[in-house]
Amino acid sequence: MHPIIDVHAHAIVPEVEAVVAGHPGLAAHRALDALRNGAESQQVSGRMVASRIPQLTSIDRRLADMDAAGIDVQVVSPSPSQYHYWADRELAEVMTASANRGIAALVAEEPSRLTGLGLIALQHPDAAVDALDDAVLTCGLAGVEISSFAPGVELSDERLEPFWSRAAHLGAVVFLHPFGCSLDERLDKFYLSNTVGQPVENAVALSHLIFSGVLDRHPGLRVVAAHGGGYLPTYLGRSDHAWRVRPEARRCALPPSDYLGRIAFDSLVHGPGALRALIDAVGPQSVVLGSDYPFDMGNENPVAELHAAELSTDVTRSILSGNADRLGLSPASTGVNS
């Protein structure tokens, strides 16, 4: 029987918090976060995260929750709050090394049920290859998690070309998970910073990858997009039209919709109808199970929601297991080229 794999789950690495504690940049980062989210959402999120600390830090609680949800394997990445893209080069190197080792230590507690992803410092593109090698080759992780952008760095930035090349060569997964939104205080009410901001950031980041030709130059790249890729997959007709009529939009070899089969999208789109629409847009071979464990904007029962979509047995099996296994995200298949 093939294991059911949840590709989108998080942990807090205490060592990362210890490394950044007391730095002036942390206070500025928190002020920006407060601006983007608004006071009401900050308070609600603070209580929510505090109530979930056992799930974010305890292996026993994690395994119990996995069993309750019918999950055999979790792919665990650091909480996106631990990106800390404000950090200078020296601090960032210590922080990413701490994150990589912290996730590796968590995986080592239950290696048959956990696969891990580390971090790079996206704000320092020239350090990205070393951090990727540290995560994958030194710490034995399956890849790394990144946000949709860093200050001054979009995913189309030419300085990231060595990183994309190395990730493709290693067969490492790059998990695209936004944190924060560049629309800032326009989304500071009603939790729009997350409900609207995250899908926007997914769409913008994936568009940078597609339109810039990153996926043309690195066809073996294994990108997994959180939150079903946000608004992009089901509204790509406009992108295809721009590719046809605007010369500045033709930096990729094919219409943007042709690249959806080269990206994996998690199933976290909230509702069986939305899930069926995602599958129709990207193909059943490009969807993997994702819960966003243990946060409140996630799904405590992703397997049940997948079954509620009433898909064929073969498609359901692929999303539960086969597609993630093909990406190298099951414990048995984790491994990279050197």
Side-chain angles (χ1 to χ4, degrees):
M1 185 173 178
H2 298 286
I4 294 174
I5 304 171
D6 176 5
V7 308
H8 183 174
H10 296 296
I12 284 179
V13 181
E15 292 82 359
V16 171
E17 298 308 301
V19 166
V20 301
H23 282 265
L26 180 59
H29 166 73
R30 287 176 173 167
L32 177 59
D33 204 34
L35 175 73
R36 287 170 166 167
N37 288 278
E40 182 180 12
S41 288
Q42 284 288 93
Q43 292 173 4
V44 174
S45 293
R47 293 193 295 269
M48 180 271 296
V49 173
S51 71
R52 286 162 168 76
I53 291 298
Q55 292 158 287
L56 287 160
T57 58
S58 166
I59 185 69
D60 291 336
R61 176 61 185 273
R62 182 178 299 272
L63 294 174
D65 289 348
M66 289 169 61
D67 290 341
I71 301 295
D72 298 309
V73 174
Q74 267 190 356
V75 181
V76 184
S77 52
S79 168
S81 63
Q82 298 195 300
Y83 288 149
H84 297 301
Y85 287 165
W86 52 268
D88 62 26
R89 173 74 176 258
E90 182 178 359
L91 178 62
E93 288 179 352
V94 176
M95 191 212 72
T96 55
S98 298
N100 295 342
R101 282 150 185 79
I103 294 295
L106 176 64
V107 171
E109 291 191 61
E110 197 66 49
S112 67
R113 301 201 64 187
L114 301 177
T115 300
L117 300 173
L119 293 181
I120 65 165
L122 192 61
Q123 74 274 33
H124 301 295
D126 58 333
V129 169
D130 287 343
L132 176 65
D133 282 354
D134 180 63
V136 173
L137 299 180
T138 302
C139 295
L141 303 177
V144 292
E145 176 189 33
I146 64 171
S147 190
S148 52
F149 74 103
V153 183
E154 298 287 354
L155 299 192
S156 57
D157 196 307
E158 292 182 357
R159 294 173 294 172
L160 285 171
E161 280 295 301
F163 167 73
W164 300 123
S165 178
R166 186 61 171 162
H169 173 75
L170 291 174
V173 166
V174 180
F175 181 42
L176 171 58
H177 188 301
F179 183 71
C181 179
S182 53
L183 293 174
D184 292 340
E185 66 267 34
R186 288 195 64 212
L187 303 182
D188 68 356
K189 292 181 175 63
F190 322 120
Y191 204 41
L192 297 181
S193 58
N194 189 296
T195 59
V196 172
Q198 296 284 49
V200 166
E201 287 298 327
N202 271 296
V204 172
L206 289 170
S207 295
H208 272 274
L209 283 178
I210 291 169
F211 278 104
S212 67
V214 167
L215 299 179
D216 290 319
R217 294 187 293 275
H218 311 288
L221 197 57
R222 298 178 178 181
V223 175
V224 177
H227 317 127
Y231 295 131
L232 187 72
T234 54
Y235 200 63
L236 260 181
R238 188 171 181 86
S239 296
D240 283 355
H241 182 77
W243 183 86
R244 288 192 294 268
V245 304
R246 299 288 304 198
E248 71 272 32
R250 292 198 67 155
R251 306 293 174 84
C252 49
L254 301 169
S257 59
D258 283 35
Y259 294 89
L260 294 184
R262 306 187 192 183
I263 302 167
F265 301 85
D266 81 5
S267 63
L268 187 61
V269 291
H270 303 287
L275 180 56
R276 288 192 294 269
L278 174 65
I279 294 167
D280 286 344
V282 307
Q285 78 290 341
S286 293
V287 179
V288 290
L289 193 72
S291 71
D292 201 4
Y293 176 91
F295 295 117
D296 62 352
M297 287 298 288
N299 187 336
E300 293 182 355
N301 296 293
V303 177
E305 182 161 292
L306 177 61
H307 287 301
E310 298 181 336
L311 307 169
S312 73
T313 300
D314 286 345
V315 169
T316 299
R317 186 183 300 116
S318 293
I319 295 172
L320 288 174
S321 182
N323 295 338
D325 184 65
R326 190 170 60 252
L327 288 167
L329 289 174
S330 69
S333 63
T334 300
V336 298
N337 304 310
S338 60

